[in-house]
């Protein structure tokens, strides 16, 4: 219940924006424009703002295009062929097919189909009905964007809420690998790998949050000052994702090494715990808006360490784990703002190891 209440609390700003904008859109379309039943106006608001993250401006344009397409096809055909089951099937199929040909976005196709249904059943064609409905959709979309601009949520807080989850999952995966190696615990390694495989969903949510955050920072003058922090988060997120992918490879080879009884150097445990510390420091410094110097210093110390012992007298899987450790160090260093060239040159030399490339989600 506590997790559900926290989720509700995080969505309250969007819910309030939706509620206020829907009422305003209805009043404007009905009282100002004189449309008798402007239901497309509040519907457009809900689609554009919603409670999910995403591209609100794009959804507004898709909404308007979908309504226009559905109403246009419906008005054109229903006026000539009448209304009935096969007519409904025909206009919905045609409207959605044309929408898919125009754009791959789901909103435009669904809105085109639903608008065609309304025209074929509840809203028979009229001389200006199609135009009025398109205007209603545009009014709702415009008001949604205006409300987002005038009553913006905090884009940095939005991004950090999802970025924290990704970095926590990265830290937990690294610590799970360290503990599994220290105890030679095969079930723990398997469990850590299963959890890490599910982390890509958190990465996708972070990407959506970054898209929404950038949109808010562009639309709202009140949030223009957040652009630099969002840019730092955006740059870091790419390399955090790579570190998480490399960690999944590391966990997979750790599991294989433990199952095969390969020797693994005890230094793995300290290095992996150190990388988990870097992930958590990076999480806190990104949230506070400061340059991630502490995370960078710890990562540099790990890069300067002697890694040759990690690959001495080991099997293939253990060697891959050692190579992945070095890759993760580079990923996290770049996430702190260091160039990739500088990160690579910071690593102490080690014998070349064949690394395993991750396919999909690990």
């Amino acid at each position: 219940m506590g997790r559900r209440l926290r989720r509700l609390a995080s969505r309250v700003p969007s819910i309030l924006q939706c509620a206020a904008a829907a009422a305003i859109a209805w009043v404007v379309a009905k009282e100002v424009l004189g449309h008798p039943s402007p239901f497309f106006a509040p519907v457009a608001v809900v689609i554009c703002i919603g409670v999910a993250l995403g591209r609100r401006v794009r959804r507004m344009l898709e909404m308007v295009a979908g309504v226009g397409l559905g109403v246009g096809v419906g008005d054109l055909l229903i006026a000539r062929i009448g209304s009935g089951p096969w007519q409904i099937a025909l206009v919905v199929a045609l409207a959605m097919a044309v929408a898919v040909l125009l754009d791959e976005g789901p909103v435009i196709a669904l809105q085109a189909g639903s608008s065609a249904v309304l025209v074929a059943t509840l809203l028979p064609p009229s001389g200006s009905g199609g135009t009025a409905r398109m205007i209603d959709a545009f009014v709702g979309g415009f008001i949604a964007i205006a409300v987002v601009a005038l009553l913006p949520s905090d884009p940095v807080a939005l991004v950090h809420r999802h970025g924290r989850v990704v970095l926590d999952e990265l830290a937990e995966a690294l610590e799970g690998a360290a503990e599994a190696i220290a105890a030679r615990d095969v079930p723990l390694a398997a469990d850590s790998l299963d959890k890490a495989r599910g982390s890509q969903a958190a990465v996708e949510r972070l990407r959506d949050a970054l898209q929404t955050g950038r949109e808010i920072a562009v639309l709202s003058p009140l949030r223009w000052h957040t652009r630099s922090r969002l840019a730092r988060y955006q740059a870091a997120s790419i390399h955090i994702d790579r570190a998480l992918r490399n960690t999944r490879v590391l966990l997979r080879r750790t599991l294989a090494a433990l199952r095969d009884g390969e020797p693994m150097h005890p230094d793995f445990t300290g290095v992996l715990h150190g990388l988990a510390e870097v992930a958590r420091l990076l999480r806190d410094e990104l949230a506070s808006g400061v340059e991630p110097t502490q995370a960078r210093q710890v990562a540099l110390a790990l890069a300067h360490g002697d890694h040759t012992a990690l690959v001495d007298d080991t099997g293939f899987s253990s060697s891959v784990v050692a190579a992945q450790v070095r890759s993760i160090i580079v990923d996290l260093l770049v996430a702190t703002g260091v160039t990739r060239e500088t990160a690579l040159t910071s690593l102490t030399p080690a014998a070349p190891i064949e690394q395993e490339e991750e396919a999909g989600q690990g």
Side-chain angles (χ1 to χ4, degrees), residues 1-12 15 161:
M1 180 58 70
R3 182 166 57 86
R4 294 179 181 180
L5 289 175
R6 287 193 297 272
R7 183 176 63 214
L8 173 61
S10 70
R11 302 291 175 84
V12 164
I15 292 172
R161 185 164 65 246

Side-chain angles (χ1 to χ4, degrees), residues 17 145-156 213-227 230:
Q17 284 177 335
I145 300 304
V147 167
V148 169
L150 296 174
L151 301 172
S153 55
D154 184 350
V156 175
R214 290 195 302 271
E215 194 171 73
I216 292 171
V218 169
L219 291 173
S220 176
L222 298 175
R223 298 299 184 187
W224 285 349
H225 66 281
T226 64
R227 292 178 185 178
L230 291 172

Side-chain angles (χ1 to χ4, degrees), residues 81-319:
I81 64 177
S83 181
W86 71 268
Q87 292 94 332
I88 292 173
L90 178 62
V91 296
V92 169
L94 286 175
M96 295 188 74
V98 174
V100 170
L101 287 174
L102 291 176
D103 189 87
E104 64 180 358
V107 173
I108 184 172
L110 294 174
Q111 195 57 55
S114 60
S115 299
V117 169
L118 289 171
V119 170
T121 56
L122 301 178
L123 301 171
S126 61
S128 62
T131 302
R133 287 189 279 268
M134 283 187 282
I135 292 173
D136 288 342
F138 181 78
V139 166
F142 178 80
I143 289 175
I145 300 304
V147 167
V148 169
L150 296 174
L151 301 172
S153 55
D154 184 350
V156 175
L158 172 68
V159 169
H160 175 59
R161 185 164 65 246
H162 295 275
R164 181 184 64 230
V165 173
V166 173
L167 285 163
D168 280 344
E169 291 197 2
L170 173 59
E172 288 170 8
L174 291 164
E175 288 176 341
E179 292 167 6
I181 292 171
R184 299 201 64 84
D185 190 330
V186 173
L188 176 57
D191 183 60
S192 297
L193 177 58
D194 286 341
K195 290 179 180 178
R197 280 174 168 160
S199 62
Q200 194 60 29
V203 173
E204 296 301 325
R205 288 192 292 270
L206 174 58
R207 288 175 182 166
D208 287 341
L210 282 164
Q211 173 64 42
T212 300
R214 290 195 302 271
E215 194 171 73
I216 292 171
V218 169
L219 291 173
S220 176
L222 298 175
R223 298 299 184 187
W224 285 349
H225 66 281
T226 64
R227 292 178 185 178
S228 60
R229 292 182 63 182
L230 291 172
R232 182 181 296 155
Y233 238 122
Q234 174 66 41
S237 70
I238 298 170
H239 305 286
I240 293 168
D241 183 18
R242 291 175 181 171
L244 197 47
R245 290 174 183 272
N246 280 324
T247 300
R248 290 198 288 268
V249 176
L250 181 147
L251 278 164
R252 190 163 61 238
R253 300 319 308 180
T254 296
L255 179 60
L258 294 176
R259 281 176 173 169
D260 295 342
E262 291 184 14
M264 301 189 75
H265 199 280
D267 285 356
F268 273 122
T269 299
V271 174
L272 290 170
H273 279 304
L275 287 171
E277 181 186 358
V278 173
R280 292 200 167 100
L281 286 171
L282 182 59
R283 174 200 65 192
D284 296 339
E285 289 178 303
L286 285 174
S288 61
V290 301
E291 185 76 12
T293 53
Q294 290 185 339
R296 186 180 305 147
Q297 288 170 0
V298 176
L300 282 171
L302 293 171
H304 294 154
D306 184 2
H307 305 139
T308 55
L310 300 181
V311 296
D312 288 345
D313 301 323
T314 60
F316 172 75
S317 292
S318 300
S319 299

